[in-house]
Amino acid sequence: MKGQGEQMSIDQMAIHEQIEQIAPQIVADRRHLHAHPELSLEEYQTAAFIAARLDELSIAHRSIGRTGVLGTLPGRAKGPRIMLRADIDALPLRDGCGAPWANTASEVNHACGHDGHIAALLGAAAVLVQHRDDFDGVIEFAFQPAEEIGAGAILFERAKELEGLDQVFGLHLVSGLPAGTVDSTAGAQWASVDKFTIDVTGRGGHVAQPQLSQDALVTAASIVVELQQVVARELDPFQPAVVGIGVLRCGENYNIIASSAHIEGTVRAFDEAVRAQLLAALERIARGVGEAHRTRVVFSTRPYTDALSNDPGAAALAAQVAARVPGVDHVVTDGVANATGDDFAVFLHHAPGVYLRVGSGGTPSTSVPHHSYGFALNEAALPIAAELHVSYALSWFGTR
C-alpha cells in the first residue's frame, strides 16, 4: 500500500482534455439550473434533472429523502469508497444577475453557486465513467438538498449512506477569490451555525399612557443592543465568533405601544465550548432584559451545522492535485477561516476529507457577494471545479 503523497501517476492532460470536451455541457447545465432554482427540500425538478443526467451516463442512483440523489460508480474491483458531494438548493431571493438565464419566474435565486456545484459534479461523473477501469473501489456522487437550512446532509446520515466511507471530497465556488485560485487549507475553516429566535410578549396600549403597558419594542431593541456586546465582553479575544441579528419585527402603528416582538439571529463559532458559551449567554441576557422591562421572553435555538475542519492529509493531497490542474494559477494552503458555515461538516464526521474553496470571481470591482440578488458566477471556474473532483478522486485511489 502506498503512503499518503506516494501517488500513482494520473494522466492530467488526458483528464483535462476530457473536461474541455464537455465544458460547454457543464456551462449549459449550470445555466439551465440557474434558470430553474428551487428552495431547500423542494428541489424536485433539480433532482429529476440530476437523475436524468446520471441515467444518460449509466450511473446507478437512488433517492435520499425526497430530493437528494446518490449515484454509485464501481471501479474494476472491490476497494475503498470515496464520496464526492454537491449541494443543490437555492435561496428565497429575487434574481438580479441580468443574464439571459436569470430566473424571472419566481423569487428564488441560485445566489450561492449551488447550480455550479451540481453542473461541475455532473461533469466530473461524465469523465469518471470513462476511468472506471483505472481504480479499485467505489465513487459515489452525493447531490445534497437543503444545505442553506442545514437539513440536507443529515438525510444522508440518517439513511446510513455515510457509514463505512473512506474519504469525502467537496468544494464551494467562492466569488471572493478570482477564478484560478484554489484554497485547500487544513483545519477549521468554516464555522458552526446556530439560529436563535427570541419572542417578546408585553402588553400593548396607547403611547400617551406608557405606565399601563409593557413595551415589547423597547425590550426587543434593548436585547439587540445587549447581545452585540457578548463577543466583545464575554469571550477570549483570541476566540473568533459572531453574533448576528437579521430580523427584528414589531409594532403596528406610530401611536401604539407594541405588545409583541420577534427577533431572529445566528451564532457562528469554531470551538464547541465557545459555541455553547455563546448560546447560554444569549439566553441569559435575553431573559434578563425581558424581566427588567416586565415582559415575557421565549428563547429558542436550532442547530444548522457544526464547524467544518479539513483533514490535514486530505488538504495536502488536494493542494497537490490542484497545482496540477490547468487553469489553476494559485493554490492557497494558509487561508483565513471565515464565519460562513456548511453542513458538509456532517460528511467529515464520518470520514476524513477536504472541502475546497474554488475561486469563481472576477476582479474585486466586478465580483458580487454570495447571497445577494446580483450574484453571478465566473463560468471559467466550472471546468476547473469538475476537474478537481476527477483528479482528486483518481489521485486518492492512487495513494491506497
Side-chain angles (χ1 to χ4, degrees):
M1 179 178 290
K2 300 178 181 67
Q4 190 80 13
E6 292 184 73
Q7 297 176 49
M8 178 182 67
S9 63
I10 62 173
D11 189 339
Q12 192 69 51
M13 289 313 300
I15 292 171
H16 182 67
E17 289 172 5
Q18 290 168 331
I19 291 289
E20 287 291 289
Q21 289 172 6
I22 64 168
Q25 184 65 61
I26 295 173
V27 172
D29 283 353
R30 181 260 161 173
R31 293 180 179 182
H32 169 84
L33 291 161
H34 191 90
H36 301 87
E38 295 175 293
L39 294 175
S40 301
L41 300 177
E42 298 177 11
E43 310 96 333
Y44 296 103
Q45 292 182 53
T46 305
F49 180 87
I50 293 165
R53 279 280 184 266
L54 294 178
D55 285 337
E56 291 171 6
L57 298 170
S58 298
I59 293 177
H61 57 84
R62 55 194 175 279
S63 297
I64 305 297
R66 292 178 297 173
T67 54
V69 181
L70 181 64
T72 302
L73 177 66
R76 64 193 168 193
K78 290 183 178 180
R81 183 168 148 242
I82 184 172
M83 184 175 286
L84 312 179
R85 176 267 204 174
D87 40 13
I88 69 173
D89 53 331
L91 289 157
L93 184 72
R94 72 181 178 91
D95 190 339
C97 73
W101 50 88
N103 173 40
T104 58
S106 65
E107 296 285 302
V108 184
N109 185 1
H110 266 301
C112 199
H114 296 185
D115 50 344
H117 300 172
I118 302 165
L121 187 53
L122 287 172
V127 172
L128 285 166
V129 163
Q130 302 174 56
H131 291 269
R132 66 192 316 163
D133 292 331
D134 294 338
F135 63 90
D136 295 335
V138 176
I139 300 175
E140 293 186 324
F141 306 95
F143 294 91
Q144 179 216 301
E147 184 278 327
E148 294 293 354
I149 63 171
I154 197 170
L155 297 175
F156 285 78
E157 184 178 60
R158 288 173 178 166
K160 303 188 183 303
E161 299 292 352
L162 306 185
E163 294 181 2
L165 273 175
D166 297 287
Q167 185 83 173
V168 292
F169 177 84
L171 56 83
H172 203 299
L173 297 168
V174 177
S175 64
L177 295 175
T181 296
V182 175
D183 186 333
S184 181
T185 301
Q189 287 295 294
W190 301 68
S192 61
V193 178
D194 293 275
K195 177 184 176 181
F196 64 85
T197 301
I198 302 170
D199 287 295
V200 181
T201 302
R203 183 193 302 161
H206 198 292
V207 294
Q209 296 177 303
Q211 75 278 11
L212 301 179
S213 302
Q214 297 161 351
D215 197 331
L217 187 153
V218 171
T219 302
S222 298
I223 289 172
V224 168
V225 172
E226 290 298 323
L227 294 191
Q228 298 307 307
Q229 302 179 56
V230 175
V231 172
R233 287 295 171 265
E234 296 200 26
L235 287 190
D236 181 332
F238 294 98
Q239 287 282 6
V242 172
V243 173
I245 294 170
V247 174
L248 171 56
R249 287 196 295 265
C250 60
E252 297 173 274
N253 201 51
Y254 82 100
N255 61 353
I256 299 174
I257 290 176
S259 60
S260 63
H262 179 77
I263 300 169
E264 294 179 12
T266 182
V267 169
R268 312 291 174 105
F270 294 89
D271 180 88
E272 281 300 308
V274 170
R275 180 185 188 183
Q277 179 184 353
L278 281 173
L279 291 171
L282 299 189
E283 182 171 11
R284 184 193 76 237
I285 290 169
R287 293 187 184 281
V289 172
E291 184 176 352
H293 287 271
R294 301 175 298 127
T295 55
R296 185 170 69 89
V297 166
V298 176
F299 182 91
S300 59
T301 62
R302 181 192 181 284
Y304 273 34
T305 185
D306 296 339
L308 186 158
S309 186
N310 288 328
D311 175 76
L317 176 59
Q320 295 170 21
V321 167
R324 298 196 306 266
V325 171
V328 175
D329 50 37
H330 186 45
V331 179
V332 178
T333 57
D334 59 352
V336 178
N338 64 55
T340 54
D342 196 295
D343 64 0
F344 186 73
V346 174
F347 292 78
L348 288 169
H349 287 331
H350 291 269
V354 62
Y355 198 53
L356 301 183
R357 292 189 178 97
V358 177
S360 62
T363 64
S365 62
T366 60
S367 295
V368 181
H370 291 247
H371 290 220
S372 60
Y373 77 92
F375 174 79
L377 283 176
N378 182 342
E379 292 179 332
L382 298 176
I384 291 173
E387 190 163 344
L388 286 166
H389 276 294
V390 174
S391 298
Y392 185 87
L394 295 179
S395 293
W396 179 77
F397 278 114
T399 67
R400 310 310 295 167

